[in-house]
Amino acid sequence: MAYTIDRHPCEDSPRLGAMTLHPEPESVPRARRWFRKFIAPYNPSCSIDDCALMISELVTNAIRYGRSDDSWVVRVEWYREGTSLRVDVHNPGFPASVRLRHPQADDAHGRGLLLVDSIADSWHSGPSCFGGTVVSFVVADAWSA
């Protein structure tokens, strides 16, 4: 299966784009690059670098914690909701396993959601419409009114 990107969403849809990625480490920098490339024409006033960093963390978590007996993918979607940007990252993992951790200074992992929590205006997790889990973040005032 090839990686896919949806560059031409429906005109009436608030969804600006979507990408489907294999659950492998190489997908993390690919997600950052594709997001930067495909959000740029919409000219958001928020930090694209901050958004790409949060996407990196969520895609990393999706790859790390997503589980399925079948072949699976990570799906990233981004939406304009009024003046806000919402990014959803879907994986086949169990929704209840998403939690904000407070790692010790010498812990090698466990800071991804802390980073998202500190940068995004809000975030949440729950059941995905594709099955599994979705973790989303919102950046308010990504566009002027």
Side-chain angles (χ1 to χ4, degrees):
M1 180 179 90
Y3 295 97
T4 59
I5 185 84
D6 179 354
R7 293 185 256 189
H8 305 289
C10 172
E11 196 171 307
D12 295 333
S13 172
R15 194 181 86 202
L16 302 177
M19 63 182 112
T20 305
L21 304 158
H22 291 290
E24 57 194 30
E26 295 80 18
S27 292
V28 177
R30 183 172 287 122
R32 283 192 307 265
R33 281 192 312 272
W34 281 356
F35 175 77
R36 282 186 177 110
K37 179 177 181 176
F38 294 111
I39 196 68
Y42 297 102
N43 199 26
S45 58
C46 61
S47 170
I48 293 175
D49 288 339
D50 283 353
C51 293
L53 176 62
M54 291 187 287
I55 288 170
S56 292
E57 295 298 331
L58 295 184
V59 169
T60 297
N61 286 352
I63 292 168
R64 188 175 179 112
Y65 300 112
R67 296 285 178 264
S68 177
D69 292 334
D70 300 318
S71 176
W72 60 279
V73 294
V74 173
R75 183 168 175 84
V76 181
E77 300 177 307
W78 50 100
Y79 298 83
R80 181 173 179 167
E81 296 178 332
T83 61
S84 297
L85 170 67
R86 187 183 92 228
V87 176
D88 298 343
V89 179
H90 302 265
N91 74 76
F94 188 62
S97 66
V98 177
R99 61 187 171 86
L100 192 61
R101 299 177 187 195
H102 299 283
Q104 300 297 316
D106 59 346
D107 289 343
H109 302 285
R111 292 173 182 80
L113 281 178
L114 278 174
L115 189 65
V116 172
D117 187 59
S118 69
I119 298 172
D121 290 292
S122 65
W123 70 273
H124 88 278
S125 66
S128 169
C129 60
F130 300 107
T133 301
V134 61
V135 180
S136 303
F137 67 83
V138 173
V139 177
D141 301 321
W143 289 274
S144 56

